Amino acid sequence: MNYCSVQDVIDHTQDEEMLVASLNILIPAISRAIDGYCHRTFVVANEGRVYDYPKGENIWLRDDLISLTTIETNAGQSFDDTYFFLCPISGPPYAWIEMGPNTTLNWATTPRRSLTITGNWGYSASVPDNIKLATVIWTAALYAQATTAGLIKVDGGDISMTLRELTKEPPAEVLPLLVPHIRPRIAAIGAR
């Protein structure tokens, strides 16, 4: 799923001459770059995802959860959402699931990959407005540089212009829109 449309970019730049074919390449690439930068997706997927049996009362989720339908175990148990609490209470998105009172999950043969959690996965039911705007701005910035990629400086007559280098980082004007949506990740755990 793309986080903005071709028309959104054209409307933002007020440039009716933009090449739609180029925008159709840039928009999906930038949408996925935003996913990578924020360590989450803003696309909703209704599906089951496999998790290990929890070591405590909480099932820690590696992905954002919007809503829970069922949890099934490899021992044949099936529970609907009334047996669990989605956390934090400020969600969605939810980051972990707490088992309700009198809820006991069992596993068969191995606790690894023993739970299938089915529900709506993603950050929210629709793309947040600032994610859409970040996609529009980043797309417009890359489109503007597309014909001059590789040039560091352009001089002509009385005009001198230095172009911003293309990097993996979002443009500076996009960062404030993305920062509130970055999902923290632990890069590495070292032993002392």
Side-chain angles (χ1 to χ4, degrees), residues 29-39 42 130-131 133-142 145 164-182:
I30 291 168
S31 297
R32 300 301 68 80
I34 287 173
D35 289 347
Y37 187 78
C38 293
H39 307 294
F42 300 92
N130 53 349
I131 295 298
L133 181 58
T135 310
V136 168
I137 293 170
W138 197 350
T139 301
L142 283 183
Q145 292 181 354
R164 193 170 36 188
E165 288 186 43
L166 299 177
T167 65
K168 292 181 182 180
E169 293 290 315
E173 61 270 27
V174 170
L175 289 175
L177 299 168
L178 298 180
V179 167
H181 298 286
I182 294 173

Side-chain angles (χ1 to χ4, degrees), residues 54 56-61 65 68 71 79-90 94-105 115 117:
E57 296 297 314
N58 297 332
I59 303 168
W60 294 95
L61 305 172
L65 182 65
L68 175 67
I71 295 180
F79 300 92
D80 65 23
D81 63 338
T82 61
Y83 289 85
F84 303 94
F85 300 104
L86 300 176
C87 299
I89 58 173
S90 61
Y94 300 107
W96 72 92
I97 301 170
E98 288 182 8
M99 288 184 256
N102 305 319
T103 302
T104 304
L105 300 175
L115 303 177
I117 301 171

Side-chain angles (χ1 to χ4, degrees), residues 2-143:
N2 298 332
Y3 298 151
C4 74
S5 69
V6 167
Q7 194 60 49
D8 292 330
V9 179
I10 291 171
D11 291 347
H12 177 77
T13 60
Q14 299 179 357
D15 182 358
E16 296 290 332
E17 303 296 318
M18 295 182 96
L19 297 173
V20 171
S22 295
L23 294 175
N24 282 329
I25 293 169
L26 288 172
I27 292 170
I30 291 168
S31 297
R32 300 301 68 80
I34 287 173
D35 289 347
Y37 187 78
C38 293
H39 307 294
R40 61 174 22 127
T41 184
F42 300 92
V43 175
V44 176
N46 185 325
E47 61 190 20
R49 297 189 181 176
V50 178
Y51 282 82
D52 292 345
Y53 187 84
K55 294 187 177 175
E57 296 297 314
N58 297 332
I59 303 168
W60 294 95
L61 305 172
R62 65 183 168 271
D63 303 309
D64 294 323
L65 182 65
I66 299 169
S67 63
L68 175 67
T69 306
T70 60
I71 295 180
E72 297 175 357
T73 70
N74 64 358
Q77 295 175 297
S78 183
F79 300 92
D80 65 23
D81 63 338
T82 61
Y83 289 85
F84 303 94
F85 300 104
L86 300 176
C87 299
I89 58 173
S90 61
Y94 300 107
W96 72 92
I97 301 170
E98 288 182 8
M99 288 184 256
N102 305 319
T103 302
T104 304
L105 300 175
N106 296 311
W107 51 271
T109 54
T110 179
R112 307 260 317 161
R113 304 178 55 80
S114 62
L115 303 177
T116 301
I117 301 171
T118 302
N120 286 320
W121 298 90
Y123 182 80
S124 62
S126 60
V127 177
D129 290 340
N130 53 349
I131 295 298
K132 179 178 178 178
L133 181 58
T135 310
V136 168
I137 293 170
W138 197 350
T139 301
L142 283 183
Y143 183 90

